[in-house]
Amino acid sequence: MKELGLNPPTATSPIAITEPFLLFTVEGVKELRRDLSSRDRSEARMKAEAGNLYRPRECEALLNAVSQAAGVELVPVFDYDIAHTNVQVDAEKAKNEDIYQDLPDAEPPKQPTDPSLIDQKLPTGDINDKNAVVGDWHNDVFPWVCVLMLSDPTGMSGGETALRKGDGSFLKVRGPELGYAVVMQGGSIHHAALKQHGAGERITMVTSLRPKDPLAIDGTTLGRVKIVSDPDALFKQWTTYRMDVVSARALALKKKFVEESLSGEEIREEMKKWVDEQKKYLDFTVTEMEPWTGEDESDANRWRK
Ligand SMILES: [Fe+2]
């Protein structure tokens, strides 16, 4: 964050983005792609997949690796939105082939690119040029993301992530190679995905994470997620996790009052600070469930005001 000239109030670690690190072997990538190729989106299968994801040992090993990279212990935001997959493919090819079964051949996985060799110019030279980026410049809805590459991007150009620095300029960061992941504090950094050139496929899996510690700043928002979600399931999980956080915070403060000999004035001050913080947190919990207003850019920043 310091190198980028940033000091966001929502940051929970000094790490803005990691170097790509190996997270899955080629065999692991193949398994994930096989899973994605299943056309069976039935509830039974979704449950089986969730069961797979939550096999405790694997889940713990993954979260440990990702947390270690982030410099803060992370957990999935909530079950409803553990991850999503971005798929970019050649339209003609996708018509005729099962793109997920068309397995990558880069073996063993490698991350050969020296990050210092990245050309720091945008294709058009203009940071605000809509043609240079995919979607918009934005902050992510969730505090942390883990982006895992499920394609072999060898030979492709473009497709980097551009991060907005404190002085308004930007830094281009190369995406990960097959089986590699980067962990980014995307909720606290204004960023954009740059367009990729060439016709190759690009499949990435993006996991949504938040700090495990309920006392940490929680910058989680619902943003556009609520437009494409079942509100019954989403709001139940959103509100219950937020109440868990507030409960844990209440217990922590209670413990402090019980165990430390504070003066009446100190208790009053501590309590006021705590209540003010929880009021904001709870108010935001409610306003995030209100209908989408279409305020794209400000959405991730709204709760900070
Ligand atoms: Fe993003």
Side-chain angles (χ1 to χ4, degrees):
M1 285 290 188
K2 216 166 141 193
E3 276 171 44
L4 289 171
L6 296 174
N7 185 19
T10 49
T12 46
S13 147
I15 307 286
I17 187 166
T18 67
E19 292 282 336
F21 61 96
L22 185 62
L23 191 62
F24 278 86
T25 60
V26 170
E27 269 318 301
V29 169
K30 284 179 179 174
E31 273 304 315
L32 286 169
R33 289 176 64 112
R34 249 176 236 129
D35 224 27
L36 288 169
S37 77
S38 168
R39 295 282 180 264
D40 180 4
R41 299 282 104 192
S42 68
E43 203 180 325
R45 178 166 170 88
M46 303 283 252
K47 278 197 177 136
E49 279 175 6
N52 255 349
L53 263 172
Y54 278 125
R55 272 187 306 205
R57 265 220 337 258
E58 286 84 343
C59 188
E60 212 182 288
L62 270 174
L63 280 177
N64 282 344
V66 170
S67 298
Q68 205 184 334
V72 57
E73 220 181 328
L74 299 175
V75 289
V77 168
F78 35 56
D79 288 356
Y80 191 84
D81 199 331
I82 294 172
H84 66 270
T85 308
N86 292 326
V87 180
Q88 179 184 322
V89 286
D90 184 82
E92 274 310 304
K93 197 178 165 205
K95 247 188 259 170
N96 304 320
E97 293 170 40
D98 183 344
I99 48 151
Y100 296 113
Q101 288 294 347
D102 190 14
L103 295 169
D105 51 23
E107 211 156 353
K110 54 186 186 304
Q111 185 73 30
T113 316
D114 177 351
S116 65
L117 296 179
I118 297 170
D119 173 9
Q120 287 295 333
K121 283 198 283 298
L122 284 179
T124 59
D126 180 2
I127 195 169
N128 292 313
D129 184 348
K130 287 236 168 215
N131 294 320
V133 302
V134 182
D136 289 309
W137 282 85
H138 64 280
N139 285 53
D140 290 338
V141 168
F142 301 125
W144 288 85
V145 289
C146 176
V147 182
L148 170 67
M149 178 58 78
L150 296 181
S151 296
D152 179 7
T154 306
M156 287 179 203
S157 66
E160 302 92 344
T161 301
L163 310 178
R164 180 102 60 177
K165 290 162 66 169
D167 63 4
S169 66
F170 59 86
L171 177 78
K172 253 162 84 174
V173 184
R174 168 84 63 193
E177 302 287 320
L178 181 83
Y180 279 71
V182 294
V183 176
M184 178 168 78
Q185 205 162 174
S188 296
I189 303 166
H190 206 52
H191 62 275
L194 300 181
K195 282 214 173 124
Q196 179 182 297
H197 317 294
E201 61 144 59
R202 188 174 190 274
I203 303 176
T204 54
M205 187 177 264
V206 184
T207 315
S208 318
L209 302 151
R210 63 181 168 89
K212 185 182 183 185
D213 180 3
L215 304 184
I217 298 164
D218 179 10
T220 308
T221 68
L222 283 182
R224 274 182 263 197
V225 171
K226 69 186 166 209
I227 315 176
V228 293
S229 301
D230 167 15
D232 298 350
L234 181 69
F235 291 175
K236 184 175 181 177
Q237 293 190 16
W238 163 253
T239 49
T240 49
Y241 114 71
R242 307 280 286 187
M243 285 188 277
D244 281 343
V245 167
V246 174
S247 305
R249 288 175 179 177
L251 286 176
L253 188 66
K254 177 189 155 191
K255 190 166 181 272
K256 187 174 183 182
F257 287 174
V258 170
E259 289 175 4
E260 295 175 24
S261 41
L262 300 173
S263 70
E265 182 51 23
E266 283 167 333
I267 290 175
R268 191 191 65 79
E269 273 171 22
E270 286 267 349
M271 194 67 202
K272 178 164 178 8
K273 190 168 154 263
W274 187 87
V275 168
D276 285 345
E277 274 169 19
Q278 305 328 306
K279 266 196 214 160
K280 256 200 208 163
Y281 190 76
L282 290 167
D283 273 343
F284 188 74
T285 305
V286 176
T287 54
E288 273 303 87
M289 293 186 288
E290 285 164 9
W292 173 251
T293 58
E295 291 170 54
D296 269 22
E297 171 107 4
S298 61
D299 194 69
N301 295 307
R302 213 178 340 147
W303 75 280
R304 290 163 205 160
K305 286 173 195 150

